[in-house]
């Protein structure tokens, strides 16, 4: 994201540093909303369909961010992508723990978190 912000978004949309910081920071806030809503959505439509919904929302948000031509539209498409990410972070480990064998349940449910943490240490 940082490479796209510096190379393309600030030049194409001619936005200030404050708007860039708001755009990048609000992703975490919207993800929090998605993760808080994940339980209710999961109870309503099920875990498998919630995972599909989160992937669809992330895909739509990413496509809309790629096609944007204004800061307002970029921020609105960021909403869809970040809510999808928040949903996926909550539901995917739960679903993985439910469908995995008991002997691998803990490993498979925590493996993505370990990989994300390890990867972030090298950046």
């Amino acid at each position: 994201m940082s490479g796209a912000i510096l190379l393309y978004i600030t030049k194409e949309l001619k936005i200030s540093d404050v708007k860039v910081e708001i755009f990048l920071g609000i992703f975490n806030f919207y993800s929090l909303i998605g993760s808080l809503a994940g339980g209710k959505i999961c109870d309503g439509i099920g875990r498998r369909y919630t995972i599909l919904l989160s992937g669809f929302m992330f895909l739509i948000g990413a496509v809309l961010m790629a096609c944007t031509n204004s800061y307002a539209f970029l921020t609105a498409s960021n909403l869809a992508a970040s809510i999808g990410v928040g949903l996926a972070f909550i539901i995917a480990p739960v679903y993985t723990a439910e469908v995995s064998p008991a002997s691998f349940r803990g490993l498979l449910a925590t493996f993505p978190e370990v990989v994300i943490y390890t990867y972030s240490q090298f950046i």
Side-chain angles (χ1 to χ4, degrees), residues 14-92:
K14 297 174 180 61
I15 57 176
S16 66
D17 289 338
V18 173
K19 286 185 177 181
V20 169
E21 291 172 2
I22 291 171
F23 172 72
L24 292 175
I26 207 149
F27 188 88
N28 295 328
F29 179 71
Y30 288 152
S31 294
L32 175 67
I33 292 171
S35 64
L36 291 175
K40 293 290 184 187
I41 293 171
C42 180
D43 289 342
I45 64 175
R47 285 169 179 67
R48 183 180 301 169
Y49 292 118
T50 305
I51 290 173
L52 290 173
L53 175 67
S54 70
F56 180 73
M57 289 182 71
F58 182 72
L59 176 69
I60 293 299
V63 169
L64 290 176
M65 278 194 274
C67 298
T68 189
N69 58 0
S70 69
Y71 178 72
F73 193 69
L74 181 70
T75 305
S77 57
N78 188 19
L79 171 69
S82 57
I83 287 178
V85 168
L87 282 172
F89 273 146
I90 292 299
I91 301 304

Side-chain angles (χ1 to χ4, degrees), residues 51 91-101 104-105 107-110 112:
I51 290 173
I91 301 304
V94 173
Y95 183 73
T96 302
E98 288 180 349
V99 298
S100 62
F104 293 108
R105 192 166 290 151
L107 173 70
L108 293 176
T110 58

